[in-house]
Amino acid sequence: MRSVGIMGGTFDPVHMGHLACAEMARDACGIDEVLFIVAGNPNFKQGMQMAPASERFAMVQAAIAGNDAFAASDAEVRREGVTYTADTLLELKDADPTAELSFIMGTDALLTLHAWKDADVIARLARIICVSRPGYALGDRERARLARAGFDVTIIEAPLLDISSSEVRQRVAEGRSIRYLVPDAVRAHIQDRRLYRREEA
């Protein structure tokens, strides 16, 4: 049985923290492949300005090049309307019914998982791998709530680079360096495409 880890997100832009999280989950849980799924029109980002999905997908492709255990998917980018994790998991299961699916996330996202659309579908189709993130903790109440909702959660205690996409965007807008915060190929893409720069007067 093939084990597939799923890293979903807007990746606006993808950064070293995303890659480290995926690799730690892959190594700790014996995952064969980590699939980075770039969000197209995510429910939780409605009304927020983002780089075009095609640019975000291109940056993910550039970031994971050379890692045979990583792959990128534009399934949500191609899907019309608002995109939901449950729908993506159903598509992946339909494509490969024997695959063992794991959804990789940070503690901040895990704390809201029970309230996601069709949370019961997510719980049925995938185990949850939570990679600990600085500043967040999972208490007994939260663990019990997730268990009641049917989620199979594995917690990975791992040191992570405390980097956020919003920080990267802010630094670009201010003309500051993002070297070592994102892969060199992503940094080059941002520069070449003039992403995240403030509008010139």
Side-chain angles (χ1 to χ4, degrees):
M1 180 181 295
R2 190 169 68 102
S3 177
V4 179
I6 299 155
M7 278 283 292
T10 52
F11 300 118
D12 192 25
V14 61
H15 54 66
M16 292 297 198
H18 294 131
L19 302 176
C21 179
E23 180 64 11
M24 290 176 185
R26 185 200 64 76
D27 181 61
C29 298
I31 292 172
D32 297 314
E33 179 185 64
V34 177
L35 187 62
F36 287 73
I37 298 182
V38 180
N41 185 24
N43 179 56
F44 64 93
K45 294 281 188 176
Q46 294 299 296
M48 298 178 65
Q49 186 174 2
M50 294 183 291
S54 59
E55 299 285 9
R56 293 184 282 112
F57 181 66
M59 286 188 283
V60 168
Q61 288 182 304
I64 66 175
N67 188 333
D68 292 339
F70 286 177
S73 169
D74 63 350
E76 289 194 357
V77 172
R78 291 183 283 102
R79 189 186 307 150
E80 295 183 358
V82 177
T83 51
Y84 296 97
T85 296
D87 296 334
T88 300
L89 292 176
L90 285 167
E91 284 186 11
L92 291 172
K93 202 64 175 177
D94 285 344
D96 186 355
T98 65
E100 180 185 71
L101 303 180
S102 298
F103 196 77
I104 304 167
M105 59 173 54
T107 311
D108 52 339
L110 180 64
L111 293 175
T112 66
L113 183 59
H114 66 283
W116 289 17
K117 182 177 182 294
D118 295 329
D120 58 323
V121 174
I122 299 173
R124 174 169 55 86
L125 294 180
R127 68 170 171 170
I128 305 300
I129 300 175
C130 175
V131 183
S132 61
R133 180 177 176 182
Y136 293 89
L138 193 64
D140 292 339
R141 177 182 296 180
E142 289 78 14
R143 289 175 183 268
R145 183 169 56 195
L146 289 164
R148 286 196 301 272
F151 289 104
D152 174 17
V153 180
T154 299
I155 306 291
I156 299 174
E157 299 293 341
L160 283 182
L161 301 172
D162 193 13
I163 305 170
S164 70
S165 294
S166 59
E167 177 188 1
V168 173
R169 295 194 301 271
Q170 181 67 26
R171 292 182 71 89
V172 173
E174 295 172 354
R176 300 165 66 192
S177 173
I178 57 171
R179 178 172 283 173
Y180 308 125
L181 298 180
V182 301
D184 287 343
V186 173
R187 182 165 58 94
H189 187 94
I190 290 171
Q191 291 174 342
D192 292 345
R193 305 292 289 180
R194 301 180 66 84
L195 298 176
Y196 311 124
R197 298 194 180 192
R198 287 198 177 118
E199 293 293 334
E200 296 180 358

